[in-house]
């Protein structure tokens, strides 16, 4: 599934051999409202399930959309090698796959620790926009997803989370050629996965440190502040925790920092096919 900022063009991709398996599902698509209602009703003897998903916003978020996909198109999830959460994730996977086709060998030399065999990645900011992270730890919410659809191999589908400033490989000549006939000079440059628009703007305007605040106006708009929240871990705000009452506040999103990563991700390396 691919998402950018909640107010722009989020998309959902499931990949097999780095080719999309179906047309995108936009962030604004509300077909998963019945699934969102089911998630809202789940408690499992603890806090509501929706409260255990950072950035979860009902039918717009990916847990509900993935449940819809599981109910109506189960073969897509069964055939997919990975879920991609943003356009940058798709481009990164295609470029790394081009290098594999050309060399027949893993890139290796400039990979993030523990993800030497992966071709698909995600960043924490986009993952939290999608409602797929644990608020306290910043890890993938695999336990919550397993409660919703235990038959799905979430550890296989969820790619490693990497920092936006972490190189995941180098651009091969084959990858540069896929970008266009005039892009040969890009060969050999490090390839960074990056992050979605909200994370990129936050860091780009110099507001990535604790206390940084700014307003953005463009095709969409938002006001954002970088916070260190109580609770530990690597979740929203860069240090876990949750803003009191944020789950019920319409239009308020808690996003993980783009320079955070889940170094213990169970999905590490699982996206290599």
């Amino acid at each position: 599934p691919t998402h950018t900022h909640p107010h722009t063009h989020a998309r959902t991709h499931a990949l097999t051999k780095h080719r999309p398996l179906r047309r995108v599902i936009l962030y604004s698509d509300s077909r998963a409202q019945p699934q969102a209602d089911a998630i809202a009703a789940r408690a499992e003897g603890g806090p509501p399930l929706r409260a255990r998903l950072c950035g979860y916003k009902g039918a717009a978020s990916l847990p509900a959309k993935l449940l819809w996909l599981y109910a109506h198109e189960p073969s897509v999830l069964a055939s997919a090698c990975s879920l991609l959460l943003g356009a940058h994730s798709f481009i990164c996977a295609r470029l790394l796959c081009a290098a594999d086709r050309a060399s027949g060998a893993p890139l290796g030399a400039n990979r993030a620790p523990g993800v030497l065999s992966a071709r698909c990645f995600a960043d924490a900011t986009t993952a939290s926009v999608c409602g797929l992270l644990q608020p306290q730890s910043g890890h993938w919410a695999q336990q919550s997803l397993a409660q919703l659809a235990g038959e799905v191999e979430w550890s296989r589908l969820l790619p490693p989370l990497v920092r936006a400033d972490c190189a995941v490989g180098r651009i091969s000549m084959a990858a540069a050629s896929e970008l266009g006939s005039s892009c040969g000079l890009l060969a050999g440059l490090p390839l960074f996965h990056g992050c979605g628009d909200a994370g990129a703007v936050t860091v780009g305007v110099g507001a990535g440190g604790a206390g940084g605040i700014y307003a953005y106006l463009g095709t969409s708009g938002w006001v954002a502040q970088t916070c260190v929240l109580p609770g530990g871990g690597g979740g929203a705000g860069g240090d876990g925790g949750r803003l009191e009452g944020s789950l019920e506040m319409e239009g308020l999103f808690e996003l993980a920092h783009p320079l955070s990563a889940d170094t213990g991700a169970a999905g590490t390396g699982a996206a290599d096919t």
Side-chain angles (χ1 to χ4, degrees):
T2 87
H3 281 202
T4 54
H5 188 268
H7 303 298
T8 56
H9 353 277
R11 307 179 180 105
T12 298
H13 291 310
L15 292 189
T16 181
K17 297 182 180 178
H18 310 289
R19 297 286 181 178
L21 287 173
R22 72 178 317 282
R23 292 177 64 85
V24 301
I25 299 177
L26 299 181
Y27 190 94
S28 58
D29 191 311
S30 60
R31 73 180 73 185
Q33 188 58 54
Q35 286 74 23
D37 293 341
I39 292 174
R42 298 285 291 270
E44 316 294 350
L49 185 58
R50 64 196 180 102
R52 288 176 260 154
L53 298 168
C54 179
Y56 179 75
K57 293 295 180 182
S61 297
L62 276 190
K65 286 179 167 64
L66 289 170
L67 281 185
W68 183 92
L69 203 62
Y70 176 67
H72 296 276
E73 301 178 22
S75 62
V76 172
L77 289 180
S79 302
C81 70
S82 183
L83 301 174
L84 296 183
L85 308 183
H88 55 299
S89 301
F90 179 77
I91 293 172
C92 185
R94 286 297 304 271
L95 292 177
L96 290 175
C97 189
D100 290 344
R101 290 195 297 270
S103 66
L107 297 176
N110 291 282
R111 289 294 165 77
V115 292
L116 295 182
S117 62
R119 297 295 179 270
C120 298
F121 299 93
D123 64 275
T125 304
T126 307
S128 58
V129 171
C130 296
L132 290 174
L133 294 187
Q134 300 173 14
Q136 303 301 327
S137 68
H139 298 169
W140 289 116
Q142 291 196 58
Q143 184 175 355
S144 296
L145 291 171
Q147 291 175 1
L148 296 171
E151 298 82 2
V152 176
E153 296 181 64
W154 297 111
S155 62
R156 172 176 59 85
L157 293 175
L158 297 171
L161 291 168
V162 294
R163 289 171 54 108
D165 62 349
C166 179
V168 295
R170 288 189 178 275
I171 298 178
S172 68
M173 183 58 73
S177 298
E178 284 199 4
L179 293 173
S181 59
S182 62
C183 294
L185 291 176
L186 298 178
L189 293 178
L191 178 63
F192 292 82
H193 174 268
C195 58
D197 53 1
V201 172
T202 299
V203 174
V205 301
I213 186 169
Y214 70 96
Y216 168 78
L217 293 175
T219 52
S220 63
W222 61 81
V223 176
Q225 182 176 20
T226 300
C227 306
V228 177
L229 301 181
D239 202 23
R242 165 153 274 170
L243 293 172
E244 184 176 355
S246 63
L247 186 67
E248 288 75 29
M249 295 180 67
E250 185 66 30
L252 178 61
F253 288 78
E254 296 176 42
L255 308 183
H257 200 280
L259 302 186
S260 60
D262 179 6
T263 56
T268 295
D272 189 22
T273 59

